[in-house]
Amino acid sequence: MANIREIAKRAGVSVTTVSRVLNEHPYVKEEKRERVLQAMKELKYTRNIQAVHLAKGYSNMLGIVLPNIEHSYFSALVTGIAEKAQACGMHFALFQTGYDPLKEKEALMSLKERRVDGLIFCSNALSDGHILKWQESGPIIFCHPAPHDQCSTVSIAHDQAFKEGLHHLAACGHQRIAIVLARTEGANSESRLQAYQDMMQSLGQTIDDEWVIEGKLSLLDGKQLFAEWKEMKNRPTALFITNDEVSAGFLLEAQRHDIKVGESPAILSFQNNQLSEALGISSIHIPLKQLGQEAFDLFDRALKGEKSEKRMLPFRLIERTTTVLKNNR
């Protein structure tokens, strides 16, 4: 590939003039600018945009850190981020980690090495405090509540949403309630667990070890969950499942066994994607696409040197056929 010295020689100008043309400097005579552009065309010169950005101190690249792009929760988040990024002419790179701390550190190294200008963590295995130690290299945005004043976050109030869901199940007459999580670690999961423990205590209900279930992410996991539920000695009458795919798998498997889901077992889901709407699954709606858009906006504001912010988006419980209120029985 031709370099700027060869371009300068072909155009009959100085290297400085070529550099000014490449960087769109206003103080270049039009005749010289045209000669440089013609020489670039003849030599088939292509600018190294990455080198230009690094020279200017930015990469024009955003890093999005998430455990799994196939999961509808995270794909919806990424859709919101991507739409805003593309509208701003910003490129993005995905770091799919599978909750592996080493892979999350690779994303943080990309920030330190200026291969990305900032990171949005959709979910993380590393502690927030550890991640924030890297923030001097660029802005870091969390898609969950974080108590640290020096970082920007956007989320829903997961503890309040979980409490509302549990109260709904209690209003449907359920006391033996199981919760189904993707994992028990992490800020969102910890707040959900605490809400669950508080609610069960208020009901005077001892929590059976079998009622706290983790590692469920897919439709197939939902089918397996149904099999596990059938084998439980102290079978819960309701399941609060934090994943629409898992809820759908449970419901479909129950129907295959001619078990009607609604009164017992009842299921309440979390997210409210197209599956829950199509199958009539009660679910707590999270505006995931908007959450992604807000995360990008916080990143963009941080790049401009604006102060960190904490944003909370609304949620709402949508009752369908998989939960039945007492007064409707």
Side-chain angles (χ1 to χ4, degrees):
M1 184 184 293
N3 56 41
I4 63 173
R5 293 186 182 278
E6 292 170 316
I7 296 169
K9 183 177 180 181
R10 175 69 68 93
V13 298
S14 68
V15 170
T16 300
T17 298
V18 174
S19 178
R20 286 177 176 173
V21 172
L22 289 173
N23 290 292
E24 301 178 355
H25 198 285
Y27 303 117
V28 179
K29 291 183 179 179
E30 192 58 33
E31 179 264 336
K32 288 186 177 181
R33 188 185 302 277
E34 290 179 2
R35 279 158 51 193
V36 169
L37 293 174
Q38 182 60 35
M40 289 168 59
K41 184 177 180 180
E42 292 172 0
L43 293 169
K44 298 180 180 180
Y45 175 81
T46 302
R47 298 179 74 189
N48 186 335
I49 296 299
Q50 185 177 12
V52 172
H53 286 159
L54 288 175
K56 292 182 177 181
Y58 63 88
S59 66
N60 201 43
M61 183 76 72
L62 163 66
I64 304 173
V65 186
L66 73 168
N68 191 335
I69 188 61
E70 292 182 354
H71 195 292
S72 62
Y73 183 99
F74 298 111
S75 61
L77 266 177
V78 171
T79 297
I81 297 169
E83 286 185 0
K84 292 283 284 188
Q86 290 166 351
C88 295
M90 173 75 69
H91 302 288
F92 59 90
L94 296 179
F95 296 90
Q96 184 170 259
T97 66
Y99 286 119
D100 183 343
L102 291 178
K103 291 183 178 179
E104 291 182 6
K105 287 180 181 179
E106 289 175 9
L108 292 165
M109 279 302 299
S110 292
L111 179 62
K112 185 175 182 179
E113 294 169 356
R114 297 196 300 169
R115 285 183 279 134
V116 296
D117 296 323
L119 295 171
I120 294 176
F121 275 85
C122 298
S123 188
N124 46 281
L126 291 170
S127 70
D128 296 348
H130 179 88
I131 290 170
L132 288 173
K133 292 177 182 178
W134 300 70
Q135 193 168 222
E136 61 183 19
S137 301
I140 294 174
I141 312 299
F142 291 112
C143 293
H144 63 253
H148 307 278
D149 294 333
Q150 70 270 34
C151 68
S152 290
T153 67
V154 58
S155 183
I156 67 162
H158 282 272
D159 55 343
Q160 294 300 318
F162 218 64
K163 287 176 184 177
E164 184 169 326
L166 291 166
H167 279 290
H168 176 71
L169 291 174
C172 291
H174 299 285
Q175 291 190 335
R176 301 202 310 275
I177 303 170
I179 58 168
V180 184
L181 310 168
R183 60 184 189 134
T184 53
E185 299 83 13
N188 290 342
S189 294
E190 289 171 4
S191 64
R192 291 168 177 175
L193 277 169
Q194 187 61 55
Y196 175 63
Q197 291 165 358
D198 293 344
M199 180 64 182
M200 297 301 276
Q201 184 177 10
S202 71
L203 293 173
Q205 182 69 55
T206 301
I207 298 173
D208 193 300
D209 290 342
E210 289 186 311
W211 295 354
V212 178
I213 304 161
E214 64 175 321
K216 305 300 184 185
L217 291 166
S218 67
L219 273 166
L220 289 177
D221 289 336
K223 291 183 177 182
Q224 179 61 35
L225 175 64
F226 176 82
E228 293 171 9
W229 172 79
K230 282 199 72 180
E231 295 299 318
M232 289 182 185
K233 294 179 181 179
N234 187 17
R235 188 183 295 171
T237 62
L239 297 95
F240 194 177
I241 305 172
T242 60
N243 181 310
D244 280 347
E245 280 82 0
V246 177
S247 298
F250 185 98
L251 175 63
L252 292 171
E253 191 67 6
Q255 290 173 344
R256 195 172 73 84
H257 286 77
D258 296 322
I259 293 178
K260 183 178 180 181
V261 175
E263 292 189 11
S264 182
I267 57 173
L268 176 61
S269 194
F270 218 85
Q271 185 180 339
N272 190 43
N273 65 17
Q274 293 178 344
L275 265 178
S276 61
E277 183 176 359
L279 295 175
I281 299 172
S282 299
S283 189
I284 292 180
H285 175 77
I286 306 174
L288 287 169
K289 185 176 175 181
Q290 183 189 353
L291 198 151
Q293 293 170 339
E294 296 281 344
F296 180 84
D297 184 58
L298 289 171
F299 160 74
D300 187 50
R301 292 168 67 88
L303 272 185
K304 295 172 182 175
E306 299 187 25
K307 292 182 179 180
S308 61
E309 293 182 50
K310 310 290 185 188
R311 296 184 183 178
M312 281 288 181
L313 301 187
F315 63 87
R316 69 181 187 277
L317 192 153
I318 300 175
E319 185 188 2
R320 298 190 178 100
T321 60
T322 60
T323 57
V324 180
L325 287 169
K326 275 184 176 180
N327 56 11
N328 291 334
R329 292 184 179 184

